Amino acid sequence: MTHSKHSTSTATLSRRGLLVQAAGAALAAPWVASSHAATVAGGRPISLVVSYPAGGGADLIARIIAPRLAEALGQGVVVENKPGASGQLAASQVARATPDGSVLLLDASSFAVNPSLFPKLPYDSAKAFTPLAVLATFPNVLVCTPGFSAKSVKDVIQLAKAKPGELTYASSGNGSAQHLAGAMFEGRAGVQLLHVPYRGGGPAMTDVMGGQVPLFFANVASSLGHIQAGKLRPLAVTSMVRARSLPEVPTMAEAGVPGYEVLEWNPLLAPAGMAADTRATLVAAVRKALADPEVLGRVRQLGGDVFADASQQTAGKFIAAQQEQWARVVRERKISVG
């Protein structure tokens, strides 16, 4: 799926929170590879700037991928957290950096939404960066209070059409991943819901489990334990294919809402102006890292998968398409961060 300060940062924090503590002890930085064939930035350590805090989803992906990047490149890779302003602080730092590969940005899907929510960004998202890769994608899942009367997405649509603007869904804040997922659902399903923004995904999910708000577009990883415990009931996943961890739950298209897909994802970007050979070296290292069985297993454990295009040739097009998609949703649904 990144926004206001309560948006994707909280969405990514919540989306994998169940697994962060277990993983954290083994994910210290910096990493230094045993290989000696350094070809990027003169062999200096590479700073992997993460746009969200330590312990969040983007940070966890960074710490999963960094050791393997170090091995592939033959030089150190250091994770540097620079949270704030829905990822704008980190992006600004990388946009101004020398494009020699020594400073890279690991962001969240908010990167594609920010240009629409914040028209006066301190950088041009389309021109200030060189897309290197999309590391991983994560579906959301529409969940409801266990006692909610709707037993399917079609039931939700029927209820919403019977009482326009009354059926509520929670989110982690205005402009958040959950808010945008709900806004897209309204447009695709032809319904009008009532959005209830919270200060974070955790409080939102708590109130959905408690029955205060019936619906929530949660990340699979952060909601899976609650689903398995019977505290949340899944209605549909937001990806085009069923989630490995929820094989019995239909996709939104299967549930009756065609053309609906919402993913959270993590791009890796460099400053604009990078030399072609440096970019090729970095992309090759990313591909090698993502092919590592341990990395693949960790990502899947978190409810996601590595980017479908292993070559990463379509990463830039994917990011641009996501920007266009969310610009349309923000415009049509009149979403603001205020």
Side-chain angles (χ1 to χ4, degrees):
M1 148 187 279
T2 141
H3 294 87
S4 70
K5 62 183 178 181
H6 304 303
S7 59
T8 302
S9 58
T10 51
T12 51
L13 275 169
S14 63
R15 73 188 186 189
R16 303 167 206 154
L18 295 177
L19 297 162
V20 168
Q21 290 182 344
L27 298 173
W31 294 269
V32 180
S34 56
S35 172
H36 55 78
T39 57
V40 174
R44 301 192 308 275
I46 293 172
S47 179
L48 197 58
V49 182
V50 181
S51 52
Y52 292 96
D59 174 74
L60 187 53
I61 289 297
R63 295 175 189 277
I64 290 173
I65 200 79
R68 298 297 179 258
L69 275 179
E71 291 176 3
L73 290 167
Q75 61 198 98
V77 176
V78 181
V79 174
E80 176 188 344
N81 297 94
K82 194 176 183 68
S86 297
Q88 295 180 51
L89 294 185
S92 295
Q93 175 184 334
V94 175
R96 296 191 303 266
T98 303
D100 60 358
S102 61
V103 180
L104 305 176
L105 173 67
L106 198 155
D107 209 335
S109 45
S110 55
F111 179 83
V113 184
N114 283 349
S116 300
L117 287 179
F118 303 98
K120 295 183 179 180
L121 290 174
Y123 48 83
D124 186 332
S125 297
K127 297 179 180 180
F129 301 96
T130 298
L132 298 176
V134 174
L135 301 176
T137 60
F138 298 86
N140 288 338
V141 55
L142 176 58
V143 296
C144 67
T145 305
F148 186 46
S149 60
K151 304 302 179 186
S152 67
V153 170
K154 289 183 178 179
D155 289 345
V156 171
I157 295 172
Q158 185 175 4
L159 287 171
K161 289 185 174 180
K163 296 182 177 181
E166 293 186 24
L167 183 59
T168 56
Y169 74 98
S171 85
S172 61
N174 285 322
S176 68
Q178 296 91 2
H179 182 192
L180 293 169
M184 179 180 281
F185 178 82
E186 290 180 283
R188 295 287 192 272
V191 298
Q192 183 181 353
L193 305 175
L194 179 60
H195 172 227
V196 182
Y198 283 76
R199 291 185 176 274
M205 190 178 297
T206 296
D207 270 12
V208 173
M209 289 188 288
Q212 282 80 9
V213 182
L215 297 170
F216 183 54
F217 289 85
N219 183 271
V220 170
S222 63
S223 60
L224 185 59
H226 299 306
I227 291 171
Q228 293 171 336
K231 296 178 180 179
L232 291 170
R233 182 155 50 83
L235 298 174
V237 294
T238 64
S239 50
M240 290 298 188
V241 297
R242 295 194 180 195
R244 284 187 179 85
S245 53
L246 294 169
E248 302 303 317
V249 179
T251 66
M252 196 65 77
E254 290 174 332
V257 185
Y260 183 98
E261 182 183 38
V262 175
L263 297 172
E264 294 183 44
W265 43 277
N266 298 107
L268 184 67
L269 306 111
M274 172 171 282
D277 58 344
T278 302
R279 181 183 184 278
T281 298
L282 288 168
V283 171
V286 169
R287 292 179 60 183
K288 185 174 181 179
L290 292 177
D292 182 84
E294 182 181 351
V295 170
L296 180 61
R298 299 280 298 279
V299 171
R300 289 180 173 175
Q301 183 187 24
L302 294 170
D305 212 334
V306 297
F307 187 51
D309 180 6
S311 74
Q312 295 294 340
Q313 291 183 5
T314 61
K317 292 181 179 179
F318 174 86
I319 294 170
Q322 289 284 305
Q323 289 176 326
E324 292 176 8
Q325 170 181 291
W326 293 119
R328 185 166 55 251
V329 172
V330 168
R331 182 176 63 253
E332 292 176 353
R333 308 307 299 179
K334 297 179 173 60
I335 296 172
S336 67
V337 296

